[in-house]
Amino acid sequence: DMGGQCGSTSLRQVAACNDGPCSAQGPVNCQLSEWMAWSACSSLCGAGTRSRKRIVQTLASPDGSGCGTPLEEVGSCLDTRCGQADCRWGDWQAWSACSATCGGGS
């Protein structure tokens, strides 16, 4: 006999979970965060758009009220910095790899 003996140990263990009481306070309604800050204007000169977002902080229970309102808002903006700065070129970046291994490339 080459085998040992296993006691009466079970190969499966069960533990209690989620043992708190079920919600008795009624429906839970959706709750949204405050609006985040507006994004930068999409235009550096003249009319453009900007946006801001908010997130769902609490999902509604099946018997609660859904959010029903947008999570993103888009508005118009006007940037008046037109022509206020002279153009300045930066340094050249390193050359990219040649487009051909022989016979000429760019």
Side-chain angles (χ1 to χ4, degrees), residues 62-98:
D63 56 345
S65 297
C67 292
T69 58
L71 298 177
E72 184 172 10
E73 186 174 59
V74 177
S76 59
C77 55
L78 181 65
D79 197 317
T80 58
R81 296 178 286 173
C82 301
Q84 291 184 354
D86 293 332
C87 176
R88 281 187 43 197
W89 291 101
D91 293 334
W92 286 102
Q93 292 187 350
W95 286 100
S96 62
C98 187

Side-chain angles (χ1 to χ4, degrees), residues 37-64:
W38 285 101
S39 67
C41 189
S42 64
S43 172
L44 296 178
C45 178
T49 59
R50 62 184 183 161
S51 64
R52 64 182 182 168
K53 297 179 181 185
R54 58 185 173 180
I55 58 172
V56 175
Q57 289 185 319
T58 304
L59 292 172
S61 64
D63 56 345

